[in-house]
Amino acid sequence: MGLNSVIGDQGFLAAHGRQPTAFDSEARRIQAHLRYVHAFLAGASNELSPSQASRRASCLDALMLYSNRGAFPQNTGALSSGRRPIFIDHDRTPCAVACLMLETDPALARAIDRCCHYSFVSDMPEEAPELACRLTGWAMRHGFTLHELAMIQPGYDPCAYSIWIALCAVLVIMSVNFVLAWVAFGVWVSSRGPDCGAANQGHCDRLEEYLLGYWIPGLMPVLLVVVAIGALVARCQASLSRLYQDSGNCLLPWVLGFCLVAYLASFVMGM
């Protein structure tokens, strides 16, 4: 499925003359879609009353401002289901339809977000009939149809959020690798101790010396640093995923390169 459930990626195709690729940022795709839909809806000839036409024009102006602002929701809860709409995300960033609604009927926008957080507009009549009636009434008052609102509503890529999960996983792998490297080094040190007969007491003394003198003091600061970095990544996950959303998969080679270097560095430090 493309960015939109009705017209797919027609907006991006019209703007760039090609289909989007993995190296096109999420924000670029959404902006191309919204500008395309804005132009289409602005040129549509509908039989509207003067009040409906005025409200529709105001909503379309707000839609263009929303698109130019470039702040779009992040898919944080539907990681395995592909692109899904997000009415209002965890940072209170609204989708395009929610943005128009918050300007005129914030209570309705919040009610839809509670009941239909991941829903397509076309599915709302079946999932929440009572809310769908209120949504239909809002659309009619503002000169829209539900089909037009469905054309506006993008779906959001869960990969734009999962980058921080990957970074946390790399930190865990690094810490485990570091622990294993230190343990292996301790076994190697103990095996080279003086031979004290059958009891092999010298080996045990060397291992105890290594554990108390090197392994525990050396490992604890590293684990604290890893925990601190993990907490920082978790704290800044919204900014990281927003960076991913703005830059697209062009960021992935740099992230993978950093992870590889960090992993090799942890191995070298451990040895």
Side-chain angles (χ1 to χ4, degrees):
M1 186 184 72
L3 188 80
N4 178 260
S5 62
V6 178
I7 62 173
D9 288 300
Q10 287 184 26
F12 191 92
L13 182 62
H16 302 285
R18 60 176 176 83
Q19 291 292 335
T21 68
F23 293 96
D24 293 305
S25 72
E26 185 80 349
R28 188 183 188 193
R29 292 180 66 178
I30 295 172
Q31 285 180 321
H33 166 74
L34 293 178
R35 289 166 183 167
Y36 176 85
V37 172
H38 176 273
F40 177 85
L41 295 179
S45 56
N46 297 334
E47 295 182 359
L48 302 174
S49 68
S51 60
Q52 286 177 312
S54 175
R55 294 191 191 102
R56 179 184 173 97
S58 296
C59 285
L60 291 178
D61 289 342
L63 180 63
M64 182 53 70
L65 290 174
Y66 172 84
S67 174
N68 292 337
R69 199 158 53 237
F72 307 120
Q74 301 168 54
N75 185 347
T76 62
L79 296 179
S80 61
S81 57
R83 286 190 176 274
R84 297 292 301 179
I86 306 293
F87 207 71
I88 301 174
D89 76 0
H90 64 292
D91 284 332
R92 313 310 298 166
T93 303
C95 74
V97 176
C99 176
L100 303 183
M101 204 169 293
L102 286 169
E103 297 282 338
T104 56
D105 193 345
L108 177 58
R110 288 191 291 269
I112 292 176
D113 183 57
R114 284 193 299 270
C115 297
C116 305
H117 184 68
Y118 295 113
S119 299
F120 293 97
V121 168
S122 57
D123 294 335
M124 289 181 188
E126 183 177 344
E127 296 178 3
E130 189 173 319
L131 271 180
C133 290
R134 293 174 61 187
L135 175 61
T136 302
W138 179 91
M140 290 182 61
R141 289 193 303 274
H142 292 81
F144 293 100
T145 65
L146 289 185
H147 181 73
E148 288 176 329
L149 294 182
M151 286 180 62
I152 295 173
Q153 183 185 41
Y156 301 96
D157 185 5
C159 292
Y161 181 80
S162 59
I163 182 174
W164 79 274
I165 298 177
L167 288 176
C168 288
V170 168
L171 288 173
V172 171
I173 293 172
M174 287 171 57
S175 60
V176 170
N177 181 78
F178 192 88
V179 171
L180 292 177
W182 273 95
V183 170
F185 184 65
V187 173
W188 177 81
V189 168
S190 65
S191 67
R192 296 176 65 86
D195 189 359
C196 297
N200 208 19
Q201 185 65 38
H203 295 193
C204 296
D205 290 343
R206 275 304 278 280
L207 180 58
E208 182 179 357
E209 177 186 349
Y210 163 76
L211 289 175
L212 296 179
Y214 298 97
W215 191 75
I216 295 177
L219 182 62
M220 292 307 295
V222 174
L223 290 180
L224 289 175
V225 169
V226 169
V227 170
I229 294 176
L232 180 63
V233 170
R235 177 73 175 175
C236 300
Q237 50 83 15
S239 300
L240 288 171
S241 51
R242 189 78 69 189
L243 174 64
Y244 181 96
Q245 189 182 70
D246 292 340
S247 61
N249 287 348
C250 294
L251 186 65
L252 283 181
W254 295 98
V255 173
L256 293 176
F258 168 79
C259 293
L260 178 61
V261 170
Y263 183 83
L264 292 176
S266 70
F267 183 79
V268 172
M269 289 172 61
M271 294 302 293

